[in-house]
Amino acid sequence: WIASIQIVCYHMYHSEGGYKRYSTWMACWTQLFFLLSGFVLSYAELAKPPKKGPGRVSLWRYIRRRLVIIYPAFFLSLLLKVTYAPGRTAFDWMMLPLHALLLQSWFP
């Protein structure tokens, strides 16, 4: 609950004078939220008893299924951002392959 309040405060008041000092720290809660939600979703899916067929879903089948659902929307938003965003620098173009391969967070 506290983390969600700090995420809201970060997004709404990050440029205010009193919050500038804490805004970087509050942004960490967003990454923690995504990490925990990804863990909960994957744990719930992998721990389910099998409906029919060969048994539990393997880790690779789970990853493949999630990428088939998520990646097309991510790639479309990336394509729209590259197409319509003005003022691209050489660094932005160098980072584009990392974004396309979903590796942008591994190399900041």
Side-chain angles (χ1 to χ4, degrees), residues 60-93:
W60 295 112
R61 285 181 62 193
Y62 172 75
I63 290 172
R64 187 180 72 213
R65 194 169 23 166
R66 295 299 296 170
L67 283 176
V68 165
I69 294 170
I70 293 172
Y71 191 73
F74 173 77
F75 192 73
L76 177 65
S77 65
L78 182 63
L79 184 64
L80 290 173
K81 178 71 173 170
V82 168
T83 304
Y84 294 111
R88 292 276 156 215
T89 64
F91 179 74
D92 292 335
W93 289 112

